[in-house]
Structures are given as structure tokens and as C-alpha cells.
Amino acid sequence: MKNGRFSDAQIIAMLKQAEGGTPVSEICREHGISSASFYKWRSKFGGMGASLIAEMKDMAEQNRRLKKM
């Protein structure tokens, strides 16, 4: 599995920055990401905290191991 360029904490920080009123185009330019990536992250992680994202990734890993059995 490919490791991402940004950590969960960084993604959450970008999403919170947008919620605070910063324009999405400025956030994308500042961090070097496309607007498509930003909106994909927002649809996937929007409204979650760091603990929920970690829990979701743990469950995905557990499901992957169970499917492999």
C-alpha cells in the first residue's frame, strides 16, 4: 500500500483551515496539492477528528487481514 505524502494530522489541519474561512485555492497552493485532492479528503475525512481517522484506518487494516484469511 502506498504511503501518503501528508499525515492524518496535516490533512485535518488543512480541512480545519478551510472551515475557518481560508479559500480552498490558497490552501491548495500553500501545501502543493490539487483542489481535487482537497475535496476528496473533505468528503472522506470531513467532520472527523484525529482519533476517528486513526480508528477508521485501524478498522480498514483489520478488515484487510480478515479478508486475507
Side-chain angles (χ1 to χ4, degrees):
M1 189 166 113
K2 181 181 173 190
N3 289 337
R5 187 170 136 195
F6 296 101
S7 70
D8 297 337
Q10 289 172 321
I11 293 171
I12 291 172
M14 286 183 236
L15 294 175
K16 288 200 184 287
Q17 202 174 12
E19 288 174 4
T22 307
V24 173
S25 59
E26 185 177 323
I27 295 169
C28 292
R29 186 173 25 86
E30 181 181 318
H31 295 286
I33 60 170
S34 68
S35 59
S37 294
F38 179 84
Y39 288 117
K40 187 174 79 173
W41 289 340
R42 189 170 78 175
S43 69
K44 188 173 183 181
F45 301 123
M48 289 188 183
S51 61
L52 288 176
I53 291 176
E55 186 178 328
M56 181 183 71
K57 289 195 175 201
D58 288 340
M59 292 180 93
E61 176 64 23
Q62 187 178 27
N63 285 341
R64 186 193 62 76
R65 281 186 277 132
L66 289 172
K67 286 179 181 180
K68 194 174 181 179
M69 290 179 164

